[in-house]
Amino acid sequence: MKNSTLQFNKNEDANLLLLSEVRRRLELIRQGGGKKNIARHHERGKMTARERINYLLDPDQPHLEIGAFAAWDMYQEYGGCPAAGVVVVMGYVSGRLCIIVANDATVKAGAWFPMTTKKNLRAQEIAMENRLPIIYLVDSAGVFLPLQDEIFPDKEHFGRIFRNNAVMSARGIPQIAAIMGSCVAGGAYLPIMSDEALIVKGTGSVFLAGPYLVKAAIGEDTDIETLGGAETHCEISGVTDYACADDRECLDRIRSIMEKLGPAPTAGLNRTTSKPPAKSERELYGILPPDNIQPYDTYEIIYRLVDNSELDEYKAGYGKTIICGYARIDGWAVGIVANQRKVVKSRKGEMQFGGVIYSDSADKAARFIMNCNQKRIPLVFLQDVTGFMVGTRSEHGGIIKDGAKLVNVVANSVVPKITVVMGNSYGAGNYAMCGKAYDPRFIVGWPTARIAVMGGEQAARTLLQIQESTLKARGESLSEEQQKALLKEIRQRYEHQTTAYYAAARLWIDAIIDPLETRKVISLALAAANHAPITQPFRTGVIQT
């Protein structure tokens, strides 16, 4: 790799600009409900959600925020909802890897929006899949009533959280809840269905109905402390287990509880001493084209992610548009499945487009994934895929059959799967390369990630053809100017809907990360996955051959 090439420098500059924009937006998100609301929070003697999490986390240990961009650019008619009003972090507390969920009461008093529910459920899903302890720092005014129909009654709505509380408790996954502010109505079940509940004196309160509703319902006059404060629930009702003088004492007690947890079983994933890549990770910025169109050599990406830049490649001469091989990342043994974005020559001498899945590459990847399941080696998918090859030759060659085989083994894999969306993630290629629907333990994207049913240009021209066909049937047609205007409108809509921000706002990906953080994120994800023993045998359904 010649670092002085003009294209390398252009790529590097463009990717650094993209990364700078990610950081700028994250700074806005981390302000929560704004400086005034944060100051009001502090005046009441309360720490913010992020301050509470930072206090809990072990210093100098890796951590990952999940869903920081959740609800980005959504709910604008209500003033927005930064990070969906809840902060979720995976990190170490008293030496134990866990999930922390903290309501941000500076955002609409911590009220639950639809994306708040989805983000909480994602946090619980991570805890359950990886058998990680989960800590809830509760400070919420309850459901955001104008959107209650999108929060309350369905299977993946508010009630699912309490169902998950019960399931995790039955599975022996530790849950600790701290009531550090309001906790009302149905939300009151979350801390009390946890294994242990703490409450902060003076600021924490928990009840099914607040003073105003009690007055309206039964005519009783009462106040918050008498109805559901620390003294009531620690000395009279016995609902909570520990009363704490302030936020810091509460968080210190949580650290003390976490310190005494018994040892956790492991999956026995293979790990040795970590070695840095032999090739500079910094060069990732110059290798990856930010426009998602230009080809590049995916091997050069892999060599900057794996230990000592070593890859034991599987079937190197066959199915070249997918690279498969064994490697180590931060010492962890992994099986890598990556889309090759460079134009390659097939075994028959035909040129194949980079980023496209052909029958032979689908067949190779399926067999490699089966091998990884046989050997209990976790899988890392590096996505930059435009889809499966189309056309008569591919259809006659059974591309659907081969694609179905790949999707089948991805769906039925029992080893941990981690997905990194580096560039394009289009159509069925998203499925075959372990998109969100295929249960990766974690899925993250680089700032260059693009997720959609197809690329904007293809979508625009397809929709234009449909429109023209419809008009032609009526004896009408579009002028050249109308065609250009329609193409522009569709491209702009797709440009907006395929960005990494759009995907992260809807939790299609867990985080947008700096490419230089990829090794750390994969390592932390594997450390989490190692907490969950693999108990199911690997089986596939019916596969056509």
Side-chain angles (χ1 to χ4, degrees):
M1 171 67 60
K2 295 181 179 179
N3 298 352
S4 60
T5 63
L6 180 61
Q7 188 60 52
F8 184 98
N9 292 334
K10 284 182 176 179
N11 290 348
E12 184 176 44
D13 289 346
N15 280 310
L16 287 173
L17 280 173
L18 287 175
L19 192 57
S20 176
E21 180 61 16
V22 171
R23 290 169 178 159
R24 186 190 70 81
R25 296 188 187 196
L26 280 173
E27 283 302 311
L28 290 174
I29 289 167
R30 286 167 183 157
Q31 292 174 18
K35 293 180 180 179
K36 287 185 179 179
N37 286 336
I38 291 172
R40 198 174 298 124
H41 216 63
H42 288 161
E43 287 167 8
R44 296 185 61 199
K46 298 170 67 175
M47 303 165 74
T48 66
R50 293 184 182 278
E51 288 168 346
R52 288 166 177 166
I53 290 175
N54 289 338
Y55 188 91
L56 262 184
L57 288 171
D58 293 348
D60 303 321
Q61 287 291 330
H63 65 272
L64 174 67
E65 182 170 354
I66 305 293
F69 282 98
W72 173 262
D73 203 28
M74 297 171 69
Y75 310 123
Q76 294 304 309
E77 65 272 35
Y78 302 107
C81 187
V86 62
V87 184
V88 175
V89 171
M90 181 171 70
Y92 289 88
V93 176
S94 297
R96 191 69 172 261
L97 189 57
C98 64
I99 299 292
I100 306 171
V101 180
N103 298 113
D104 187 350
T106 71
V107 178
K108 301 290 189 297
W112 290 64
F113 283 69
M115 284 305 303
T116 316
T117 302
K118 187 172 183 178
K119 188 169 174 179
N120 274 264
L121 290 172
R122 176 60 181 144
Q124 290 183 320
E125 180 181 46
I126 291 171
M128 287 189 286
E129 285 182 334
N130 300 287
R131 297 192 63 85
L132 296 179
I134 187 166
I135 298 168
Y136 307 100
L137 306 180
V138 184
D139 194 346
S140 171
V143 167
F144 186 67
L145 292 177
L147 297 173
Q148 65 84 27
D149 63 319
E150 299 178 45
I151 302 168
F152 172 67
D154 210 344
K155 180 178 178 180
E156 297 299 327
H157 283 179
F158 199 51
R160 188 75 172 182
I161 291 166
F162 317 130
R163 174 264 185 194
N164 288 347
N165 287 142
V167 168
M168 281 191 278
S169 184
R171 293 180 184 174
I173 299 170
Q175 298 176 86
I176 301 167
I179 302 163
M180 309 183 81
S182 299
C183 183
V184 300
Y189 288 109
L190 184 147
I192 310 311
M193 292 186 73
S194 298
D195 301 325
E196 295 183 270
L198 304 85
I199 187 168
V200 177
K201 295 177 181 178
T203 55
S205 59
V206 55
F207 34 65
L208 293 180
Y212 294 119
L213 186 53
V214 168
K215 176 67 174 177
I218 64 174
E220 180 185 354
D221 288 309
T222 185
D223 59 65
I224 288 175
E225 283 299 312
T226 303
L227 190 63
E231 185 175 323
T232 292
H233 286 311
C234 282
E235 299 180 21
I236 299 173
S237 72
V239 166
T240 52
D241 306 311
Y242 308 95
C244 306
D246 55 27
D247 281 9
R248 283 176 173 77
E249 182 182 315
C250 182
L251 298 170
D252 287 337
R253 178 63 63 90
I254 293 173
R255 289 186 58 82
S256 180
I257 293 170
M258 288 291 294
E259 181 194 10
K260 297 173 180 65
L261 292 182
T266 71
L269 302 182
N270 184 302
R271 191 181 193 187
T272 59
T273 303
S274 175
K275 297 178 182 177
K279 296 192 174 185
S280 172
E281 293 176 71
R282 172 86 187 180
E283 292 176 350
L284 288 170
Y285 297 138
I287 296 167
L288 188 74
D291 61 9
N292 295 60
I293 298 172
Q294 298 298 321
Y296 62 90
D297 191 348
T298 304
Y299 286 103
E300 297 299 334
I301 298 285
I302 294 171
Y303 293 150
R304 286 156 181 83
L305 295 178
V306 300
D307 289 13
N308 212 32
S309 300
E310 293 177 345
L311 176 71
D312 297 325
E313 191 172 1
Y314 175 81
K315 291 185 181 292
Y318 178 74
K320 293 182 180 180
T321 63
I322 291 183
I323 300 167
C324 298
Y326 304 104
R328 291 191 182 273
I329 294 178
D330 197 27
W332 296 99
V334 297
I336 291 176
V337 182
N339 301 111
Q340 170 60 295
R341 277 302 311 273
K342 188 174 74 170
V343 176
V344 298
K345 187 180 290 187
S346 76
R347 66 191 188 282
K348 296 178 181 178
E350 301 161 345
M351 300 309 294
Q352 295 183 337
F353 296 106
V356 178
I357 301 176
Y358 290 78
S359 284
D360 54 357
S361 50
D363 173 64
K364 176 175 83 170
R367 291 201 234 174
F368 179 72
I369 291 167
M370 287 190 276
N371 281 348
C372 287
N373 276 272
Q374 186 84 354
K375 299 173 182 178
R376 292 296 195 258
I377 297 174
L379 289 158
V380 173
F381 292 85
L382 302 177
Q383 281 196 9
D384 195 345
V385 57
T386 52
F388 284 84
M389 190 57 190
V390 297
T392 53
R393 178 179 293 182
S394 292
E395 297 295 353
H396 294 173
I399 187 69
I400 297 175
K401 175 183 64 178
D402 293 315
K405 178 163 62 175
L406 176 54
V407 169
N408 192 315
V409 297
V410 171
N412 285 296
S413 286
V414 296
V415 295
K417 297 172 290 190
I418 297 159
T419 301
V420 180
V421 185
M422 305 185 301
N424 301 317
S425 180
Y426 293 155
N430 170 278
Y431 304 155
M433 293 296 294
C434 198
K436 185 65 182 288
Y438 288 79
D439 298 322
R441 297 289 181 93
F442 298 89
I443 177 169
V444 297
W446 289 357
T448 43
R450 296 268 175 181
I451 301 174
V453 70
M454 64 178 70
E457 187 64 32
Q458 298 96 311
R461 297 204 174 277
T462 300
L463 290 172
L464 178 62
Q465 288 174 19
I466 293 170
Q467 180 84 330
E468 288 180 322
S469 178
T470 302
L471 290 171
K472 188 177 180 180
R474 300 202 303 251
E476 302 173 18
S477 63
L478 290 172
S479 68
E480 187 175 338
E481 286 187 1
Q482 287 174 322
Q483 289 181 25
K484 288 180 180 178
L486 183 58
L487 280 170
K488 183 179 179 181
E489 177 193 340
I490 296 169
R491 285 194 198 103
Q492 287 177 341
R493 186 167 71 246
Y494 258 73
E495 177 69 22
H496 172 65
Q497 292 180 349
T498 60
T499 65
Y501 299 112
Y502 195 90
R506 289 150 183 81
L507 291 177
W508 301 344
I509 55 177
D510 293 319
I512 302 173
I513 66 168
D514 182 341
L516 295 190
E517 294 180 330
T518 306
R519 278 172 54 85
K520 182 197 82 171
V521 169
I522 291 174
S523 179
L524 188 61
L526 290 170
N530 200 35
H531 283 71
I534 301 168
T535 56
Q536 290 180 291
F538 172 66
R539 298 191 183 97
T540 62
V542 174
I543 294 180
Q544 293 191 18
T545 57

